[in-house]
Amino acid sequence: MEKPVPRPGLIATVLLLMAAAFLLRPLIKPPQLQEGRVLAGPPAWAGIARLDDLRHQTDAWVADRFPARPYLIGWLNAARLAIGDSGSDRVLAGRKGWLFYNDGTRLGPARAKPPLTDAEAAEWLRGLSARVETLQAQGAAYLVVVPPAKETIYPQFGPAWYPGPSPRRTSLTLASLAARTEPGHVVHLRDPVLAVAVSGTQAFSRHDTHWTGDAAYAAYAAILQRLRAQGVAQATRPLSDFQPVVNGVNPPRDLALMLGVASFVPIHYRGYVDPAADAYRTTWLSERRGWTAPQVVDTGETGKPTLLLTRDSFSNALTPFLLGHFSRVVLTHIDDGFWRQDLIDRFHPDVVMLEVQEHGLGFAMRGSPPVSEAAETRIERALPGAPTHGPLAPSAPSRGRFVPLSAAPAALAGLDASVPIPTCAVDQALMHARGLVVAGWISDLSAEPRPTQGAARLSGPAGDFVQPLEMNQVRPDVGIYFKRPVVEPSGFSSTLNLQDVPPGAYDLRVYRRSPTGWIGCAGPKGLVRP
C-alpha cells in the first residue's frame, strides 16, 4: 500500500485556523449557535478490543469542540442563506429569507404525508370522547386548542418546491371529525391566526418556529369565545391591557440559532406580558425548574375558576393572556403526558385545556380513559369504515405475569440500580379486570441502536412485582419533538397480566435496558388493583 504523502500547505492552513481561533476568541464574539442535537460526549475507554470505537468517539468529540467551529458554521451558513440555501438538514430555507423547521419529512404533515387512516382517526376520537365524558362527570370542561404550523400560514414564503398546505392534513381532518362527534371541544386556530397574517400584522417571525404575540392574542380571543360557550363566564380583555415586548432579552429565533446565523440576520419578534403577572405566585411541583416543569400559578384573582393547562412551546406566547382569567392555573408539559389524571384528582380543575401545535395533534389522545358505548356509536356513525377497535385499543393480556421482584428472572436483575432519566413518559396506565394497560416511551436519546428489553414494576404495601415489557413501538412524535428521528423506536404499549398481583394500591415504574444497565421512568402513583 502506498504511503500517504504529507501536504505541508494543508497542514499549515489547519494549524493557522486553530491558532487564529484561539487568538481571536477574546476579540470576536462567536456567532450564536444551537444545533438542535446533543453534541458528542468525551470518549470512553471500553477495552483494547474496541479501539476503533474509541477513535470514532474521539474524532466526534474533537470535531464538536473545535474552537473555530461556531465561527465557521455561522459564517458559512450566513453565506449560504444569502443565496437561498440552508446549511442544516433541520432547517429549510424559503423565499425572502424565511426559515421553516424540517422534522425529516420536508413539511410532510402540512402536505398530508402520511395520510390519516380511518382507524387512526377513530382511535383519536375515542380518546377525545373519553376525556370529555370523564371531565363532564366531574363538572369540568375539556378543550383542545390547536395552533397552526408556520408553513400553513405563510406558504408563499416556503421553499420553491412546497405546494402549500393540504386541506386534508391530519389536524383539519381531526378537528372536522371532532365537530361531528364532540362538538365544541376542539378549536383549530388556523382561521384567527391567518386573519392576523392577512391584515399585515406579523403572525410568525422569519427566523423562529413559533407564532408571535399578536397571533397568540387572536388565538386567545377565539379560546375565550369557546370557553364562554362551555359556561366559563370570562370576558375577553383588550390587547391594550397587555404590555408589548419587542425582542427582549432572549427573543424567539430557534431556526436562526440552528443555522448559527442569529448574529447575522435582523431578528424581530413581538410578544406581550400582563403587568398584573408581577403579583402571581408560582409553586413548583417537582425538583425541576423552568417553563416545562410542572407548576401551579396562583394569580390572586378570587372567585375565578381553576385551569389545568397541558401545553407545548406555543404556550409561551399564549399563557400571558390566559392566566388572569383564573384563580389558579396548573401548568404541565406534554412531555409529561397528554392526559394528567393525577393532577385532575389533586387539583379538581374547572377547565382542562390541552394546547398542542397542529402537527402533534394526531398523537395527543394517547393515554386516555376508556370510552363509553354511546361515544363508540357516535364515532362509528362518523367513520363507518373504521374498525371498532383501533390500533391503540387495549390488547389481549400479555403471556407473561408479574412476579415478586425477589423471584424475578436473571434477565431483570439490577432494576434497583437503574438510572432515572427525564426523557420518558408513561402516557397511559389503567388498571381494570383484564390487566394493566400501559403505554408511553423511554429513551436516552442516543443514536446507537438500543435493546428492546424493558420491564414494568408495581410497588405497594402488598408487595413489589415486576414483568417484562417490550420497547418496540415506533413513536414519530418523540422523534419530531427531539428533532432526532433515530429515537423514534422508543415506545411501549401493552396490556400486562395482573393475575398474581394482590389487590391494593401500587406505584408504577417502567425500565429499559441500555448498554450500561437499566434506565428508569417514574409512572403514576396510587394505581388501584381491584
Side-chain angles (χ1 to χ4, degrees):
M1 183 176 180
E2 186 177 352
K3 187 176 180 180
V5 178
R7 300 180 180 179
L10 177 60
I11 295 173
T13 301
V14 171
L15 292 175
L16 182 61
L17 282 172
M18 294 178 66
F22 281 108
L23 295 174
L24 294 177
R25 284 175 71 187
L27 304 176
I28 302 176
K29 186 178 180 179
Q32 296 172 314
L33 177 64
Q34 293 179 6
E35 298 181 66
R37 69 178 182 93
V38 178
L39 298 182
W45 173 256
I48 193 70
R50 303 192 65 179
L51 282 179
D52 195 51
D53 287 346
L54 181 66
R55 179 178 63 82
H56 287 297
Q57 292 178 33
T58 303
D59 288 346
W61 183 75
V62 171
D64 277 356
R65 285 157 181 79
F66 181 58
R69 186 171 180 274
Y71 298 92
L72 295 174
I73 291 176
W75 294 338
L76 176 61
N77 284 347
R80 295 178 66 170
L81 186 60
I83 60 173
D85 188 28
S86 171
S88 169
D89 59 0
R90 289 289 179 238
V91 180
L92 298 171
R95 300 174 176 90
K96 297 186 178 180
W98 281 68
L99 302 178
F100 297 85
Y101 176 65
N102 178 26
D103 64 0
T105 66
R106 292 173 64 84
L107 309 184
R111 297 183 290 113
K113 305 292 184 182
L116 180 72
T117 68
D118 283 354
E120 291 168 339
E123 191 61 27
W124 189 93
L125 291 172
R126 291 185 184 97
L128 174 66
S129 295
R131 295 182 189 184
V132 171
E133 292 171 338
T134 298
L135 290 169
Q136 284 180 340
Q138 302 175 22
Y142 186 63
L143 189 64
V144 180
V145 297
V146 188
K150 181 178 181 178
E151 60 269 20
T152 69
I153 300 300
Y154 288 104
Q156 68 272 30
F157 297 126
W161 49 262
Y162 175 52
S166 169
R168 296 184 299 275
R169 62 187 185 273
T170 292
S171 66
L172 292 181
T173 301
L174 292 176
S176 175
L177 289 169
R180 296 164 58 187
T181 55
E182 294 293 343
H185 293 282
V186 175
V187 185
H188 200 299
L189 297 166
R190 174 198 58 179
D191 291 344
V193 174
L194 184 59
V196 171
V198 170
S199 73
T201 301
Q202 195 174 52
F204 285 81
S205 65
R206 293 187 181 191
H207 304 106
D208 193 79
T209 313
H210 304 89
W211 57 11
T212 64
D214 294 286
Y217 177 80
Y220 149 77
I223 292 168
L224 262 289
Q225 182 179 14
R226 189 60 60 90
L227 286 177
R228 286 192 292 271
Q230 292 199 23
V232 182
Q234 295 287 318
T236 304
R237 296 170 61 184
L239 187 58
S240 58
D241 280 4
F242 303 91
Q243 178 181 340
V245 177
V246 177
N247 288 348
V249 177
N250 190 26
R253 60 202 189 284
D254 58 357
L255 298 171
L257 288 171
M258 289 183 196
L259 283 182
V261 301
S263 302
F264 304 102
V265 295
I267 301 296
H268 181 82
Y269 179 93
R270 181 165 63 196
Y272 293 88
V273 296
D274 186 353
D278 292 339
Y280 296 170
R281 179 171 57 87
T282 298
T283 303
W284 301 98
L285 299 180
S286 71
E287 295 181 355
R288 292 161 46 200
R289 296 296 182 268
W291 77 269
T292 63
Q295 57 197 274
V296 177
V297 178
D298 289 294
T299 65
E301 298 283 347
T302 59
K304 293 186 177 181
T306 295
L307 169 68
L308 169 59
L309 175 60
T310 301
R311 66 224 176 105
D312 62 20
S313 53
F314 274 67
S315 69
N316 288 329
L318 179 63
T319 50
F321 302 115
L322 287 174
L323 294 183
H325 290 280
F326 300 90
S327 298
R328 167 174 282 187
V329 180
V330 183
L331 297 171
T332 180
H333 194 271
I334 61 173
D335 283 356
D336 297 325
F338 291 104
W339 175 254
R340 294 300 302 271
Q341 186 67 54
D342 57 331
L343 297 179
I344 293 170
D345 294 340
R346 178 176 176 182
F347 293 101
H348 306 288
D350 302 287
V351 180
V352 177
M353 188 183 303
L354 169 64
E355 176 275 308
V356 57
Q357 192 254 22
E358 67 169 311
H359 294 339
L361 184 63
F363 312 112
M365 292 302 143
R366 296 179 185 271
S368 297
V371 69
S372 71
E373 290 297 329
E376 282 279 10
T377 300
R378 293 195 300 272
I379 294 166
E380 288 174 10
R381 290 197 192 104
L383 290 166
T388 55
H389 295 289
L392 300 181
S395 58
S398 62
R399 294 183 179 180
R401 292 183 178 182
F402 278 101
V403 298
L405 182 65
S406 58
L412 298 183
L415 294 182
D416 284 332
S418 67
V419 177
I421 62 171
T423 48
C424 64
V426 178
D427 297 329
Q428 185 174 36
L430 298 171
M431 279 188 172
H432 56 75
R434 296 180 63 201
L436 170 64
V437 180
V438 62
W441 63 276
I442 178 171
S443 174
D444 59 7
L445 303 186
S446 171
E448 298 296 325
R450 287 293 180 258
T452 62
Q453 181 188 12
R457 181 176 181 179
L458 292 173
S459 304
D464 200 351
F465 302 88
V466 64
Q467 180 173 166
L469 177 62
E470 281 295 300
M471 303 289 172
N472 57 3
Q473 300 280 314
V474 176
R475 289 291 299 263
D477 54 324
V478 176
I480 289 171
Y481 179 80
F482 289 104
K483 307 175 179 66
R484 306 184 70 191
V486 293
V487 304
E488 289 183 4
S490 60
F492 55 89
S493 178
S494 185
T495 300
L496 302 178
N497 196 318
L498 291 172
Q499 180 176 336
D500 297 324
V501 178
Y506 294 90
D507 297 341
L508 172 67
R509 192 167 185 84
V510 174
Y511 302 87
R512 182 174 188 171
R513 177 74 75 178
S514 78
T516 57
W518 292 98
I519 54 178
C521 182
K525 299 180 183 297
L527 295 173
V528 178
R529 164 78 161 109

